[in-house]
Amino acid sequence: MSITRFSLISALAALTLLVAACGGGAPAGPTATPAPRVLTLFTTTTFPDIDPSTSFSNDSAVTSNVYEPLVWYNPPGSAEVLSPGLATRWEASDDSLTWTFHLREGVKFHDGAPFNAEAVKFSIERTKRINGGAAWIWSPVNEVEIKDDYTVVFHLDYATPLDLIASSGYAAWMFSPSVGDKDSAWFNEGHDAGTGPYMIEKYEPGQRIILTRFDDYWGGWNEGQFDKAVLEVVEDPTVRQQKIDSGEADWTYQIPTENLQAVDANPDVKVVVNPAFQNLVGLFNNKKPPLDNPKVRQALSYAFPYETYLKSVLEGYATQSRGPVPTGMFGHDPTLFQYTHDLDQARSLLTEAGYPDGGFELTMTYATGDTLEEQAGELWKAELAKLGVTLNLQPLAWEAQWDLGRGDPANAQDIFVMYWWPTYVTPYDFLFNMFHSEESTLFNLGYYGNPKFDEMIDTANELSGSDKAGAERMFQEAQKMLVDDAASLFFFD
């Protein structure tokens, strides 16, 4: 999951603006063809991978409209946590080792093939076989059994809430068995094989992607819904704001918080603020001097001006994190230690580590155009300078930032700043992806390695379906390890 993951703040143009933008140009009269309704979205980052088996980044803006899961996870405040997707109902055995999903009938893939149990088995087995992105979500599944055309039975190695897993925003997408011989390159040329309301019409990597409606969508179409969606990649926040103000864009996000009041004053624009299981982290390079010394990492954690940042930059839209699992989620620990801004303590720790006057430089990478990440860096840089530490800020396009981070830790960044939000709603997602040891780097971009931590979160994950309270205690103890080690700076939820 990418990563400049979506920010907490979105700007969404009101319907009046959309109708005005889309309603002109068609000739009058009974034979006139109505102009298509087009939604124009300005996004900050590219879509690194649109293969539904391996997509694990900002690509979700595309995949979640082109593909569908068996189960949908509902927004906060909904009457139910989960609702039917391509499965209409499901049930688990008493020991949660066997799950049966009853599938929606009459659904077609974009290639015309029918959605059925064979497609479910194919989708999950392809994703597990490739074993990229978030394929780990299916690790409990030992076998996918086709009971009949519209019933599929999952046999698990250990008890787990499979309905939550089936609602994942990554690696849980269903796709047509007709792509059996296609590789990721085929998908990333702009092809798709989903059941969702939209198909990929055109893909220009690094610039834009155009989605067009699938007329045979099983959910049907209502008057006034969008015929097309154009996702334009625009890194510059000033340009994104200008496009919203002028009406050239219908939706964007990551407008600087200090500009939101002025944007909201435009009667054609609505600013929408949503709660999210999302946070911002600064992953320390645990393999590279001087950050291989935990005292240096702790010192840097004490040097960040949390209160100033939350008040002056975020203006109340977020709270300081307590570790990596965000507020309100199962596994969050409200008693977990928080670092505070304390330059005296930072200086003392640097002295203990052998750097009484600082005297070293660090490079922090972040996504180009992300004002929250940029301003965090600027504030931190000023405080670190008081300790004799130079912080170099390096904005990069997300894909370039990620590529650098996945290289040799000795030649990589010192601090990797990014957002995280859950693949599916479990603390294991945050702890496993960002901090579990990896043979090949994906998202453990601070290169943290602690066998005791790995064993603890793996065990907690396996207990989640049978001993939730015990699993939570273990997840919380694991987070304490990360905070004690200062494996990352935890900015905000």
Side-chain angles (χ1 to χ4, degrees):
M1 324 125 198
S2 111
I3 309 232
T4 334
R5 295 181 168 257
F6 291 129
S7 118
L8 299 171
I9 302 144
S10 298
L12 175 66
L15 181 61
T16 51
L17 177 61
L18 300 181
V19 172
C22 301
T31 61
T33 300
R37 291 179 177 269
V38 180
L39 179 68
T40 302
L41 305 95
F42 276 43
T43 180
T44 66
T45 58
T46 57
F47 315 111
D49 182 9
I50 52 177
D51 181 332
S53 285
T54 55
S55 165
F56 200 26
S57 187
N58 296 309
D59 334 285
S60 60
V62 176
T63 54
S64 59
N65 288 290
V66 172
Y67 301 92
E68 296 175 301
L70 296 175
V71 181
W72 286 110
Y73 191 90
N74 294 322
S78 302
E80 301 289 340
V81 175
L82 301 172
S83 61
L86 292 176
T88 57
R89 58 189 175 90
W90 52 92
E91 62 266 357
S93 60
D94 290 342
D95 59 8
S96 290
L97 289 173
T98 304
W99 287 75
T100 302
F101 287 78
H102 304 274
L103 307 180
R104 193 177 297 278
E105 299 185 31
V107 177
K108 291 182 181 179
F109 287 103
H110 298 161
D111 63 8
F115 167 74
N116 53 26
E118 178 191 355
V120 175
K121 182 178 175 68
F122 170 76
S123 297
I124 293 169
E125 289 183 349
R126 178 184 187 268
T127 296
K128 290 188 71 174
R129 183 179 69 255
I130 295 174
N131 196 31
W136 59 269
I137 68 171
W138 298 113
S139 58
V141 176
N142 180 278
E143 180 189 1
V144 182
E145 175 194 352
I146 297 175
K147 187 173 182 181
D148 59 46
D149 282 351
Y150 292 100
T151 309
V152 63
V153 180
F154 292 81
H155 301 280
L156 309 185
D157 288 329
Y158 54 86
T160 196
L162 196 67
D163 50 354
L164 271 180
I165 291 173
S167 74
S168 172
Y170 299 95
W173 306 118
M174 299 293 109
F175 42 89
S176 174
S178 68
V179 302
D181 61 343
K182 308 299 185 185
D183 59 11
S184 287
W186 182 83
F187 284 101
N188 283 295
E189 289 169 358
H191 300 107
D192 78 78
T195 62
Y198 293 93
M199 305 179 294
I200 298 175
E201 176 183 310
K202 187 177 183 180
Y203 182 32
E204 299 174 52
Q207 299 181 61
R208 69 186 56 80
I209 196 163
I210 300 174
L211 307 180
T212 190
R213 64 182 269 172
F214 176 46
D215 288 332
D216 288 335
Y217 178 56
W218 64 265
W221 290 90
N222 297 323
E223 182 67 28
Q225 291 181 311
F226 297 108
D227 301 300
K228 292 181 185 290
V230 180
L231 286 73
E232 295 275 0
V233 178
V234 178
E235 294 177 340
D236 190 328
T238 302
V239 173
R240 293 197 303 274
Q241 182 175 337
Q242 290 170 346
K243 297 297 184 181
I244 280 288
D245 286 335
S246 68
E248 294 177 71
D250 301 316
W251 184 94
T252 193
Y253 62 101
Q254 291 182 352
I255 296 291
T257 52
E258 64 268 23
N259 296 352
L260 287 176
Q261 187 173 354
V263 172
D264 203 25
N266 183 335
D268 292 325
V269 177
K270 183 179 181 181
V271 173
V272 180
V273 181
N274 301 304
F277 288 141
Q278 177 182 284
N279 50 26
L280 183 69
V281 297
L283 300 169
F284 292 127
N285 188 332
N286 285 243
K287 300 293 186 186
K288 184 179 177 182
L291 297 182
D292 57 346
N293 186 328
K295 290 187 182 296
V296 175
R297 300 194 300 266
Q298 291 166 358
L300 267 62
S301 298
Y302 276 113
F304 188 77
Y306 302 94
E307 187 173 352
T308 298
Y309 180 55
L310 291 168
K311 287 183 178 179
S312 65
V313 176
L314 281 150
E315 300 186 4
Y317 287 108
T319 57
Q320 183 182 344
S321 299
R322 286 188 184 271
V325 178
T327 303
M329 182 186 287
F330 161 67
H332 173 75
D333 185 355
T335 69
L336 196 64
F337 176 76
Q338 276 182 322
Y339 289 92
T340 57
H341 182 228
D342 187 337
L343 290 183
D344 289 337
Q345 182 66 11
R347 190 173 286 107
S348 175
L349 285 162
L350 286 177
T351 299
E352 290 180 41
Y355 301 97
D357 300 313
F360 55 85
E361 293 190 17
L362 301 171
T363 297
M364 178 189 117
T365 62
Y366 67 95
T368 302
D370 190 304
T371 58
L372 296 181
E373 294 179 346
E374 178 184 11
Q375 290 176 83
E378 293 291 354
L379 288 171
W380 204 5
K381 179 178 182 177
E383 296 305 299
L384 289 172
K386 299 173 185 176
L387 301 172
V389 176
T390 300
L391 182 64
N392 299 312
L393 304 180
Q394 186 176 4
L396 293 168
W398 164 247
E399 289 181 75
Q401 184 191 6
W402 197 14
D403 284 344
L404 175 64
R406 286 182 290 178
D408 182 355
N411 300 318
Q413 74 295 318
D414 299 292
I415 304 159
F416 192 108
V417 175
M418 70 177 183
Y419 300 97
W420 195 263
W421 63 91
T423 306
Y424 74 97
V425 182
T426 170
Y428 188 62
D429 180 64
F430 288 77
L431 302 174
F432 174 81
N433 283 296
M434 291 191 285
F435 301 104
H436 195 288
S437 302
E438 293 180 324
E439 290 185 12
S440 178
T441 301
L442 184 62
F443 280 118
N444 182 350
L445 295 158
Y447 324 108
Y448 183 74
N450 182 335
K452 185 178 179 181
F453 170 87
D454 294 347
E455 181 181 5
M456 184 171 291
I457 65 169
D458 289 344
T459 302
N461 182 53
E462 294 185 10
L463 284 175
S464 294
S466 57
D467 181 6
K468 191 172 182 179
E472 183 168 47
R473 287 192 296 271
M474 296 182 77
F475 281 134
Q476 291 174 340
E477 181 61 28
Q479 290 174 78
K480 186 176 184 299
M481 292 182 189
L482 295 177
V483 172
D484 290 347
D485 286 344
S488 171
L489 191 142
F490 304 105
F491 292 99
F492 67 77
D493 296 342

